[in-house]
Amino acid sequence: MSAPAPSRPAAARPTSIEAGGIESIPVDRRHGSPWQLLATWSAPNLEFATVFVGFIGVAFFGLGFWQAIAAIVLGNALGAATQGILSTWGPREGLAQLVLSRTAFGLRGNILPAAINTIMAGLGWFAVNSVSGAFALATLTGMPVWIALVIIVILEVLLAFVGHDLVQVFERYASIALGIIFIIATVAIFANPQVGSGIGHAAFTFSGFTLTAAAAFGYAAGWNPYASDYTRYLPKDVSRAKTGWAAGLGNFVSCTVLMAAGAASALIVAPKNASPTDAFVHGMPGWVSALTLVAIAVGAIAANALNIYSGSMSFLAAGIRIPFALRRAIIAIGFGILGFVIALISILTNVTENYENFLLVIAYWIAPWLGVVLVDRLLRRGTAIAEFIPDKAKYRNPAGILAFVIAAVVSIVLFSNQTLFTGVIAKAAPIGDLTPLVGFVLAGLLYLVFFRVFTPKVGGPVDQEPDVVVGVDAADDVA
């Protein structure tokens, strides 16, 4: 008697609302290809917020074009490398990124990074990108900015509400359209005579370089806490190499090209009272300007679909108990409402300064978080983690939260450099901003030491790990 044919993975149904929350994705619901991550991590970067990173390197941090590009490439390369590494973790257990970090922080300790990412993703990044999209739509149509903001937010929330499969499909097609438009826009920028005459100007300061590199890293690594959220549906036996390279390259290429365009655009003299998006399209041919404004608006939607989706995942990973089948979708609506209010307030204040500060603050917490989770994974290589992830396991690991908090506080107090606060060493010497570098290294070293001190539990061989980790979400039974 022949063996039954293996079941095929469930086909994606983009228009079906994704039920559940942060539960482990079973094998029969896995689908997709690792190469879809090229689009997943390209589309959300093809927007104005990315452009602005390159712009501030030249306009505010005082670098020449090529010096800014060097800082941009360094920051993006580091952020994209960690994006690739973290993306490979999702398929093994089918779990979201801030759920996986429970091994490094323990169930209760993980509440802090999960809560921070909830605020940064679901509210902070959401507001930043919504503002740029609203400005672009308002410039294109002539409508009031607040009405444009309402339209942008509704579309963003709709995508995140439906869930994973619709988000992936949208990112796939958006990456193609946005890629074409931004290539045209980039060519138009470099064709401007003011760029040609200013691009050879050399200006370098160590402080300007580290500030720009930190801002670029903050942007590229801003996606790191989301990485496995978009690989947990991939088949368990998917190629790790393909998964990592697709995610990393999608992040690096899109960020670097648009930041380079932003650095070049800083060499073009724009009208004095122009909004950031108006200044970017100034000097472009009319039809290119119009297409670029459309792309900026669509790019904001592409970015924020991920921000709201992953923000809701982090909210649940913090241990919030919501016993509804559509708990993740409901949370997405809540973030949309709060994010709209924050975006509206930002429009009425100093958008430029707010964004510069936000970029640096992102790197301040992500760097020490990365140091902890990467070292934790290294120390646990070849071992199973399923028994430490569920809510009922009540697993504790004080090593992670201690290393994270100490490294974050020390690096910020000594090395931060922004308008809201300047660290002791940064104030005394022109070093720019070394907070992310110090935070990452210090957190990793501290965790290595504390791991030996507290000796948290380590699981058995990884080949004995179950296909589905049960009990991760407080409401698994209604998923």
Side-chain angles (χ1 to χ4, degrees):
M1 183 176 179
S2 60
S7 59
R8 299 178 61 184
R13 293 180 294 174
T15 56
S16 299
I17 298 176
E18 178 190 10
I22 55 172
E23 68 280 353
S24 177
I25 305 302
V27 174
D28 62 354
R29 289 176 58 193
R30 304 289 191 91
H31 59 273
S33 161
W35 295 114
Q36 73 194 30
L37 298 172
L38 279 171
T40 302
W41 298 117
S42 291
N45 292 322
L46 298 175
E47 48 127 7
F48 184 72
T50 320
V51 170
F52 200 66
V53 178
F55 180 84
I56 62 177
V58 174
F60 300 138
F61 299 153
L63 295 179
F65 175 80
W66 292 112
Q67 290 73 28
I69 293 300
I72 286 167
V73 168
L74 175 61
N76 286 340
L78 294 174
T82 49
Q83 182 75 12
I85 292 170
L86 295 172
S87 293
T88 66
W89 297 3
R92 198 176 94 178
E93 289 88 15
L95 293 170
Q97 199 70 62
L98 264 297
V99 175
L100 290 172
S101 74
R102 287 178 176 179
T103 64
F105 294 93
L107 184 64
R108 292 184 178 178
N110 194 56
I111 293 174
L112 180 59
I116 294 174
N117 194 51
T118 298
I119 296 170
M120 291 295 183
L123 300 177
W125 270 122
F126 178 81
V128 165
N129 294 321
S130 295
V131 168
S132 63
F135 273 127
L137 186 59
T139 300
L140 182 67
T141 62
M143 68 174 62
V145 176
W146 73 269
I147 294 180
L149 180 64
V150 170
I151 295 172
I152 293 292
V153 168
I154 289 174
L155 293 174
E156 292 165 344
V157 173
L158 178 62
L159 284 170
F161 176 81
V162 175
H164 176 274
D165 290 343
L166 182 60
V167 169
Q168 291 280 27
V169 170
F170 180 81
E171 303 296 339
R172 184 186 313 151
Y173 290 106
S175 66
I176 298 172
L178 295 175
I180 293 172
I181 295 173
F182 274 115
I183 287 174
I184 295 172
T186 300
V187 170
I189 289 171
F190 279 93
N192 189 296
Q194 294 181 55
V195 173
S197 61
I199 204 169
H201 172 67
F204 178 86
T205 62
F206 184 75
S207 60
F209 185 87
T210 59
L211 281 164
T212 304
F217 172 77
Y219 186 91
W223 302 114
N224 284 183
Y226 311 2
S228 72
D229 298 5
Y230 303 95
T231 59
R232 66 190 186 120
Y233 274 93
L234 292 176
K236 190 169 185 177
D237 60 353
V238 71
S239 167
R240 294 184 63 194
K242 291 178 181 178
T243 301
W245 277 106
L249 285 175
N251 194 350
F252 177 78
V253 173
S254 56
C255 282
T256 302
V257 171
L258 259 69
M259 289 181 193
S265 71
L267 303 174
I268 301 172
V269 179
K272 185 175 181 180
N273 296 321
S275 71
T277 51
D278 289 345
F280 178 61
V281 300
H282 175 73
M284 294 181 183
W287 66 275
V288 177
S289 174
L291 279 177
T292 303
L293 290 170
V294 171
I296 290 173
V298 175
I301 296 170
N304 276 346
L306 301 186
N307 285 321
I308 305 177
Y309 181 85
S310 287
S312 63
M313 301 282 281
S314 296
F315 183 78
L316 292 170
I320 306 300
R321 299 175 181 273
I322 300 178
F324 298 108
L326 296 180
R327 53 196 174 278
R328 180 208 52 78
I330 294 170
I331 295 168
I333 295 176
F335 282 150
I337 296 171
L338 290 174
F340 170 79
V341 174
I342 295 172
L344 189 59
I345 294 172
S346 182
I347 287 174
L348 300 175
T349 57
N350 191 329
V351 175
T352 299
E353 184 177 294
N354 290 342
Y355 183 53
E356 177 188 330
N357 290 334
F358 183 73
L359 280 173
L360 295 175
V361 170
I362 281 284
Y364 289 174
W365 88 268
I366 287 180
W369 173 81
L370 276 172
V372 171
V373 296
L374 290 176
V375 172
D376 178 73
R377 194 75 168 194
L378 180 65
L379 294 173
R380 296 176 185 276
R381 62 190 182 280
T383 66
I385 64 172
E387 64 181 291
F388 311 122
I389 298 294
D391 290 354
K392 294 181 180 179
K394 296 182 180 179
Y395 164 73
R396 295 183 179 183
N397 185 0
I401 194 65
L402 284 174
F404 173 75
V405 171
I406 293 172
V409 171
V410 170
S411 60
I412 292 171
V413 169
L414 297 181
F415 295 96
S416 64
N417 191 341
Q418 56 169 304
T419 57
L420 296 177
F421 177 76
T422 303
V424 177
I425 295 178
K427 188 180 296 183
I431 59 173
D433 200 322
L434 298 178
T435 311
L437 175 62
V438 175
F440 175 80
V441 174
L442 183 58
L445 291 175
L446 287 173
Y447 186 74
L448 189 62
V449 172
F450 291 153
F451 192 90
R452 305 301 182 191
V453 173
F454 293 102
T455 59
K457 294 181 181 178
V458 177
V462 70
D463 58 5
Q464 296 179 8
E465 195 165 60
D467 287 335
V468 180
V469 183
V470 179
V472 174
D473 193 298
D476 275 341
D477 57 329
V478 296

